[in-house]
């Protein structure tokens, strides 16, 4: 019999999180208590915000249902390891749809993982290779979790940084937000040594260290980290205006292209047009458009038109005669 009420409540909650209905008698047997105690414990869980639904009958049952808010979950070892491995795999490759919220969740989970489970997570990740699009750089999940923790806790972050030309430097920052573009992770932060806002490619960061020094968040000039990153990237990148039509419906094309390119506009039921300001190389964009797997026509820029023409000829020659 479990006489420790908090421990018994956690055990009961763990059982109820299994997607099934538990008869009151079975729960009483599992917990080693009376059915009356089970009813009282269920009432306690409801007071804590857990939506436990009861059914009437000779041996009334209980099940956890969806509520208006997300209450804390109790995970067993296998569940915690599975979630941590999944979040690590996604976060490390900046997969589209895996954003800062996912990294924050990973940081919270790894903060409370026991040492034995942390070792299992690392072992599993080292033994597996995720199949990704290959468009973005791979990042150590530990780098992201340290950054996410300092962002959430308003804690100064120190790290080594390598610029685009390979120049190394040491940075002391007040981290503001992590931003995923679908291909890469970026950190938007206030650089204390340079006394200005900066954006950092996370795949160029090494040895991130949370200093423990707290700070009051500054007001970002644009008010939005994603907008600041966009303006910052366009300020130093050579950009061009992309203009392409596709021989396919707009919703179909939107599903095949990165979301950061924007939504194509329908021309009719079977064609659409995409206009976007792009900072990537025309060579990469030519290959990316070819991967859409439908007929398309590039109207601008002229450099991309020529690149697509050259690529088409090269691929035709690579296929050989006939």
């Amino acid at each position: 019999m479990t006489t420790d009420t908090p421990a018994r409540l956690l055990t009961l909650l763990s059982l109820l999180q299994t997607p099934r209905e538990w008869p009151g008698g079975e729960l009483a047997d599992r917990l080693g208590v009376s059915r009356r105690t089970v009813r009282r414990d269920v009432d306690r869980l409801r007071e804590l915000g857990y939506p436990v639904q009861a059914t009437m009958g000779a041996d009334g049952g209980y099940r956890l249902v969806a509520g208006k808010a997300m209450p804390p979950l109790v995970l067993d070892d296998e569940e915690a390891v599975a979630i941590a491995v999944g979040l690590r795999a996604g976060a490390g490759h900046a997969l589209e749809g895996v954003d800062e919220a996912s990294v924050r969740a990973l940081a919270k989970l790894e903060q409370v993982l026991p040492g034995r489970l942390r070792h299992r997570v690392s072992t599993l990740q080292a033994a597996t290779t995720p199949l990704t699009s290959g468009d973005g750089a791979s990042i150590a999940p530990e780098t992201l979790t340290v950054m996410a923790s300092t962002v959430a806790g308003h804690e100064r972050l120190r790290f080594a940084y390598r610029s685009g030309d390979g120049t190394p430097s040491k940075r002391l920052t007040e981290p503001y937000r992590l931003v995923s573009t679908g291909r890469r992770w970026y950190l938007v932060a206030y650089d204390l040594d340079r006394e200005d806002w900066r954006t950092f490619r996370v795949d160029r960061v090494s040895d991130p260290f949370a200093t423990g020094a707290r700070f009051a968040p500054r007001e970002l000039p644009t008010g939005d980290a994603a907008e600041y990153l966009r303006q910052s990237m366009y300020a130093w990148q050579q950009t061009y205006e992309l203009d392409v039509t596709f021989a396919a419906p707009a919703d179909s094309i939107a599903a095949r292209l990165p979301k950061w390119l924007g939504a194509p506009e329908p021309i009719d039921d079977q064609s659409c047009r995409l206009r976007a300001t792009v900072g990537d190389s025309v060579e990469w964009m030519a290959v990316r458009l070819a991967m859409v797997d439908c007929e398309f026509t590039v109207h601008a820029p002229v450099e991309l038109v020529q690149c697509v023409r050259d690529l088409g000829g090269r691929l035709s020659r690579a296929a050989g005669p006939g």
Side-chain angles (χ1 to χ4, degrees):
M1 175 178 177
T2 306
T3 57
D4 183 356
T5 301
R8 190 176 65 246
L9 286 175
L10 287 174
T11 303
L12 174 60
L13 179 58
S14 180
L15 292 172
L16 290 175
Q17 284 177 172
T18 304
R20 55 162 288 194
E21 182 172 299
W22 289 87
E26 186 175 350
L27 287 176
D29 292 340
R30 287 287 193 107
L31 299 173
V33 296
S34 66
R35 297 189 186 189
R36 183 178 181 182
T37 300
V38 170
R39 289 194 294 270
R40 288 177 176 174
D41 287 348
V42 167
D43 288 338
R44 291 190 180 99
L45 289 179
R46 288 170 177 161
E47 291 172 0
L48 293 172
Y50 293 94
V52 182
Q53 185 182 73
T55 56
M56 305 301 292
D59 193 14
Y62 300 93
R63 67 185 308 148
L64 197 63
V65 297
K68 295 181 179 180
M70 180 67 184
L73 299 177
V74 177
L75 303 174
D76 62 28
D77 287 2
E78 286 71 23
E79 292 165 341
V81 169
I83 292 174
V85 170
L87 288 173
R88 275 178 162 233
H93 292 268
L95 297 179
E96 191 169 327
V98 180
D99 55 13
E100 187 192 354
S102 300
V103 177
R104 291 201 310 270
L106 176 59
K108 291 178 181 178
L109 181 59
E110 294 204 337
Q111 184 178 4
V112 297
L113 275 181
R116 69 180 190 283
L117 298 187
R118 199 182 297 268
H119 176 71
R120 285 177 59 184
V121 170
S122 300
T123 301
L124 272 173
Q125 188 180 29
T128 58
T129 301
L131 180 61
T132 64
S133 63
D135 289 346
S138 178
I139 303 168
E142 293 82 0
T143 298
L144 285 170
T145 54
V146 170
M147 289 183 168
S149 297
T150 57
V151 167
H154 306 311
E155 186 177 350
R156 287 181 176 175
L157 176 70
R158 189 186 302 276
F159 54 86
Y161 192 69
R162 174 179 49 82
S163 64
D165 61 6
T167 303
S169 62
K170 297 289 186 180
R171 304 297 180 102
L172 178 61
T173 65
E174 294 178 351
Y176 185 81
R177 288 288 187 277
L178 280 166
V179 181
S180 172
T181 65
R183 295 174 57 209
R184 295 189 179 98
W185 282 102
Y186 289 85
L187 174 69
V188 176
Y190 188 84
D191 192 316
L192 292 169
D193 294 328
R194 290 153 183 80
E195 298 183 343
D196 199 5
W197 289 94
R198 292 287 190 271
T199 61
F200 303 94
R201 271 181 51 174
V202 178
D203 58 296
R204 293 177 179 168
V205 169
S206 59
D207 303 321
F209 175 72
T211 65
R214 305 288 178 176
F215 65 89
R218 303 171 190 263
E219 184 177 352
L220 190 66
T222 61
D224 179 76
E227 177 61 21
Y228 181 82
L229 175 63
R230 188 187 68 83
Q231 293 183 14
S232 176
M233 292 174 67
Y234 288 166
W236 54 265
Q237 276 188 341
Q238 181 179 358
T239 62
Y240 55 87
E241 299 302 316
L242 176 68
D243 187 358
V244 186
T245 56
F246 299 91
D251 57 350
S252 174
I253 295 301
R256 303 179 197 177
L257 287 175
K259 287 184 173 56
W260 53 265
L261 277 175
E265 299 177 355
I267 298 175
D268 52 39
D269 292 342
Q270 296 300 321
S271 63
C272 61
R273 190 164 195 161
L274 176 66
R275 295 183 175 91
T277 301
V278 180
D280 286 292
S281 68
V282 292
E283 292 81 7
W284 182 88
M285 185 54 64
V287 174
R288 193 64 185 82
L289 291 173
M291 293 169 59
V292 174
D293 194 27
C294 80
E295 297 295 322
F296 65 92
T297 302
V298 178
H299 305 287
V302 293
E303 295 87 353
L304 182 57
V305 173
Q306 184 59 48
C307 185
V308 169
R309 185 177 294 119
D310 293 344
L311 179 62
R314 192 175 304 120
L315 292 176
S316 295
R317 292 190 296 274

